[in-house]
Amino acid sequence: MDFNVKKLASDAGVFFSRAMQFTEEKLGQAEKTELDAHFENLLARADCTKNWTEKILRQTEVLLQPNPSARVEEFLYEKLDRKVPSRVTNGELLAQYMTEAANDFGPGTPYGKTLIKVGETQRRLGAAERDFIHSASINFLTPLRNFLEGDWRTISKERRILQNRRLDLDACKARLKKAKAAEAKAACEGDAVPDFQETRPRNYVLSASASALWSDEVEKAEHELRLTQTEFDRQAEVTRLLLEGISSTHVNHLRCLHEFVESQTNYYAQCYQYMLDLQKQLGRFSGTFVGNAESTSPPAATSPPAVAAATLPAVPTIPVVPTIVGVPNTVAESVLNPNEVKPPASGTRKARVLYDYEAADSTELALLADEMITVYSLPGMDPDWLIGERGNQKGKVPVTYLELLS
């Protein structure tokens, strides 16, 4: 290894001199070259961009991966330049447990069937979450990380060089100032009339020689100042161009932010659609959980919308059209055509819709929250469903989406 003691000592001396000068500037004991207001604004803007980018990056990582241990593991893999192993999402793990539980309880039982349906939805939710995390990492986190680890490091390096150039410039200014003061003092001593009768007339010669030496020192200091000023101006221009590039960074981050929002919107839209499909499936087949499918009184609601309805006052049961004795109930849900049935002469009720509902097929009636419809029941219908009418429109509607009015 090339070990240059002289260079090491020189660098140590420069470092010590700059440290002393920086300390004197902080204490107000030394002059400091001030940058222009525009340059200072660029520096403040760059620092603000760096600080907020770090915070947004860290919090987005927490959003995408709440587990701190997993984040540390991903960080280590990234630093080691190795591929991060695929990790099962919480939704996929829950889907696995539900499927295994359904196999143990019996996939043909009502509980087992429901576990399989819910597990499949959880698996789809987990896959959507995985796609969202991957998309957000590439389109949003990576550009932020590239700025902090690339552009910002370059800016910081050039700022440090500019700081050193400024300290060198101020040192040259101080050196020139001292040389000029010494030269003026020597010139004043040289202008005095010598006394040739004194015992030591050589003082006059020494003063003249000192004045010449200080003149040379002033010329040398001025030359160093010009060189240092040129280097400082060049470095200031380089740093200024990099700082002005922060505007381009903002434009790039804005585009990435739009992509992140789009990915998040698609993710939540997928989740909503998956849960809506699951809710329809559970509502459609909820009659399998009732012991007597021919029961005319609806059981306690088990779907999520019934939570809000459970707090409402009890309402009368919707009357059912009487069944003719001796005639079998052939009006089943699978063959029911709401457009062909007629409401009973008595027993219709008004109902207020609690939630929006999208019809799954032509036999169902789409609902809008807070609208009023007329409802009634028919023999053989699933107790969780009613016939709803709104003007000339007619179709099946889920009970759990309604507030029956007395």
Side-chain angles (χ1 to χ4, degrees), residues 291-304:
N292 181 11
E294 302 295 331
S295 174
T296 58
S297 59
T302 57
S303 56

Side-chain angles (χ1 to χ4, degrees), residues 29-103:
Q29 299 176 359
E31 295 183 2
K32 175 182 177 181
T33 300
E34 299 292 343
L35 301 171
D36 60 83
H38 177 63
F39 200 99
E40 292 289 353
N41 290 334
L42 291 177
L43 290 174
R45 189 185 185 202
D47 290 335
C48 184
T49 301
K50 180 256 185 182
N51 293 334
W52 283 113
T53 301
E54 282 183 336
K55 292 180 180 180
I56 293 173
L57 174 64
R58 299 295 174 256
Q59 192 57 38
T60 306
E61 290 175 341
V62 172
L63 173 67
L64 299 180
Q65 179 51 263
N67 189 344
S69 300
R71 292 200 304 273
V72 171
E73 180 182 354
E74 293 175 358
F75 175 79
L76 293 177
Y77 274 102
E78 180 183 351
K79 291 303 179 183
L80 295 175
D81 198 18
R82 298 178 58 185
K83 184 178 180 181
V84 180
S86 178
R87 183 179 289 103
V88 178
T89 63
N90 293 328
E92 293 171 328
L93 187 60
L94 178 60
Q96 177 183 344
Y97 290 163
M98 286 186 171
T99 303
E100 294 176 357
N103 293 331

Side-chain angles (χ1 to χ4, degrees), residues 294-297 317-325 327-331 336 340-349 375-381 385-387 389:
E294 302 295 331
S295 174
T296 58
S297 59
T317 305
I318 295 295
V320 182
V321 178
T323 305
I324 302 177
V325 179
V327 179
N329 251 337
T330 59
V331 189
L336 179 64
E340 298 178 357
V341 301
K342 296 182 179 180
S346 61
T348 60
R349 294 284 180 181
V375 294
Y376 53 88
S377 180
L378 294 176
M381 283 189 62
W385 292 80
L386 295 172
I387 298 297
E389 290 187 359

Side-chain angles (χ1 to χ4, degrees), residues 39 158-166 232 235-236:
F39 200 99
E158 297 301 328
R159 287 177 65 177
R160 288 192 297 269
I161 296 176
L162 178 63
Q163 177 77 346
N164 292 335
R165 295 288 183 266
R166 186 191 62 78
F232 172 79
Q235 184 60 36

Side-chain angles (χ1 to χ4, degrees), residues 152-396:
W152 180 253
R153 288 187 178 180
T154 301
I155 293 175
S156 299
K157 176 184 176 182
E158 297 301 328
R159 287 177 65 177
R160 288 192 297 269
I161 296 176
L162 178 63
Q163 177 77 346
N164 292 335
R165 295 288 183 266
R166 186 191 62 78
L167 292 174
D168 294 342
L169 177 61
D170 292 338
C172 288
K173 289 180 178 180
R175 191 178 304 117
L176 177 60
K177 184 178 180 180
K178 291 180 181 179
K180 285 184 176 181
E183 181 187 26
K185 182 179 179 181
C188 292
E189 293 178 354
D191 291 340
V193 178
D195 184 6
F196 293 99
Q197 301 298 323
E198 64 180 2
T199 57
R200 302 179 65 183
R202 63 188 183 90
N203 289 341
Y204 177 76
V205 179
L206 292 177
S207 298
S209 177
S211 179
L213 291 175
W214 281 116
S215 296
D216 293 341
E217 185 67 22
V218 168
E219 292 180 1
K220 182 178 178 181
E222 289 177 345
H223 177 70
E224 291 181 355
L225 178 61
R226 285 192 295 269
L227 294 178
T228 308
Q229 183 70 54
T230 302
E231 293 178 355
F232 172 79
D233 293 340
R234 185 186 300 113
Q235 184 60 36
E237 184 63 24
V238 171
T239 308
R240 184 192 301 273
L241 293 176
L242 290 174
L243 293 175
E244 290 176 348
I246 293 294
S247 298
S248 300
T249 300
H250 286 187
V251 173
N252 182 40
H253 288 182
L254 176 61
R255 178 183 57 81
C256 297
L257 184 60
H258 279 286
E259 294 180 356
F260 172 72
V261 172
E262 182 179 357
S263 299
Q264 197 171 31
T265 302
N266 294 336
Y267 167 62
Y268 285 121
Q270 284 181 320
C271 293
Y272 173 76
Q273 187 61 46
Y274 293 157
M275 294 307 300
L276 193 63
D277 295 342
L278 176 62
Q279 189 180 47
K280 289 181 180 180
Q281 292 180 26
L282 296 182
R284 182 185 301 267
F285 298 105
S286 59
T288 59
F289 301 103
V290 184
N292 181 11
E294 302 295 331
S295 174
T296 58
S297 59
T302 57
S303 56
V307 176
T311 61
L312 299 173
V315 295
T317 305
I318 295 295
V320 182
V321 178
T323 305
I324 302 177
V325 179
V327 179
N329 251 337
T330 59
V331 189
E333 180 183 359
S334 59
V335 296
L336 179 64
N337 187 353
N339 294 323
E340 298 178 357
V341 301
K342 296 182 179 180
S346 61
T348 60
R349 294 284 180 181
K350 289 292 184 180
R352 184 176 69 88
V353 179
L354 298 176
Y355 313 97
D356 291 345
Y357 178 74
E358 183 179 354
D361 51 47
S362 60
T363 65
E364 297 182 2
L365 179 65
L367 302 175
L368 295 176
D370 295 328
E371 69 174 335
M372 302 294 294
I373 62 174
T374 302
V375 294
Y376 53 88
S377 180
L378 294 176
M381 283 189 62
D382 189 317
D384 287 337
W385 292 80
L386 295 172
I387 298 297
E389 290 187 359
R390 181 181 57 232
N392 295 328
Q393 296 178 331
K394 183 186 304 184
K396 296 183 298 181

